[in-house]
Every structure is written in structure tokens, then in C-alpha cells.
Amino acid sequence: MMIGSGWGIYNDSVIVHGLYFPQAVRIGSWAAESLLWHFAAMWVLALNGLAYLIYGFATGRFRERLLPIRVADVIATVRETLLFKIAHDDLTVYNAVQKILYIVAILAGVLQVITGLAIWKPVQFSGLVELFGGFQGARLAHFLGMAVLVGFLAVHVTLALLVPQTIRAMLTGGPRLRAPGAGGSR
Ligand code: HEM
């Protein structure tokens, strides 16, 4: 929703000369309508994102799943991926490249909210605008954050389609985990 409506807003005043998004991939038939969609969906994103971040930090899930990242593991995972030997016997354990990509995606999401606030209310959030070197800088950072998330989505969805049981896990909340040392499941 944020990407499609963002592309609708973008077309009104392009950042990359010659780059326009066709109507088929835009949400909203013209910029003002896209902006309305953008602001409506922004609340879903921000509230969901906040709940996700609080949950991730408070329960230790982020530390447990996304850390540590070792250089040797990154090299080994890249090599295995290039040889199409993607390990997926345990979906609850992320490989080193997955960890990096998830952290990048979370940070890009946070960047989108911060730069979004800056370009939405540049007077009230003038400090934020200054952080990005002015309105155009914040706008550019907002656009680049979108590009990072689109790149992430493309890789993420492609890899998920290659390992179909991950799609089921993503939609249903993941496989049941065995509690360490216990016979039952949690
Ligand atoms: C709280 C979250 C967000 C807020 C408050 C926000 C706000 C805005 C505003 C005010 C604009 C219009 C900029 C202008 O007038 O030029 C805009 C544009 C845009 N937004 Fe967002 N946004 C948010 C999140 C996102 C996210 C998550 C994405 C995509 C992943 C996104 C993608 C875009 C794109 C592609 C544009 C068009 C770029 C441009 O032409 O400036 N936004 N956003």
C-alpha cells in the first residue's frame, strides 16, 4: 500500500529523470488521491511497526533470531546460495545473509517513517529535515528507502517461492517449536 501509493505521489514530481510508474502499479488515479491512500495506510504501518519493534525488543526475539552475525557464516551462506544449496531444514533458524537482510529491512522501515514524518510536516519536524540536509534530501532518502524495501521484497519473495514451506510458515505464524527438554510443543 505504501509503495503503490508512494509511486502515485512520485509521478507528480519525479526524482529520477525519465522514471515514471505506470497506472497498473500505482494506488490512486492521481497524486492527491495517492497521497490520501499513503496517509491512511501510514497509520497501519506505524502502529503495526511500533508493536513489532516493542515485541521484538521486549521478548528478546530480535537478539535471539538476528544476532550474532559472523563474517565466516556470511561467506559460507553466500557460497552455498550461489551453489543453490539453501538450507531450510529448520525454518526458525535464520542464516547469516537472512539476518543481515532482515535487519536492513527493519532499518529501512524505520527510515521511511522518520523521513516520511520530515516531508509530511517539514515545519513541525524541521530538526529532522535538517538531519537530511533539507526537504529535497529527506525526500531523496524517503525514495531510496523505498528502493531498498522493493529490492528486499523482490529477493525475499523469490527465495520464499523457491522454498514453498516458508510461505505457509509466514502466513500461519511459523512451525510449532519443541520446547527445549520438554516433550510437548509451544
Ligand atoms: C509514517 C510513514 C510515512 C509517511 C508519514 C510518509 C509520507 C510521505 C509524504 C508526505 C510524501 C510526499 C512527498 C512529496 O510531497 O514529495 C511521501 C512520498 C512517498 N513515499 Fe512515503 N511516507 C511514509 C512511509 C512510506 C513507506 C513505508 C514507503 C515505501 C516503502 C513510502 C514511499 C513513498 C514514495 C515512493 C513516495 C514518493 C517519493 C516522492 O516523490 O517524494 N513512504 N511519503
Side-chain angles (χ1 to χ4, degrees), residues 2-3 6 10 38 42 112 116 119-120 139 142 146 149:
M2 299 309 293
I3 294 169
Y10 167 91
H38 209 64
M42 153 191 107
Q112 286 310 83
I119 53 183
W120 178 30
R139 207 185 146 202
H142 199 65
M146 176 277 300
L149 284 169

Side-chain angles (χ1 to χ4, degrees), residues 2 18 22 35 43-44 68 70 113 124 129 142 150:
M2 299 309 293
L35 202 56
W43 293 106
V44 181
R70 296 190 189 87
V113 174
Q124 292 86 335
V129 176
H142 199 65
V150 169

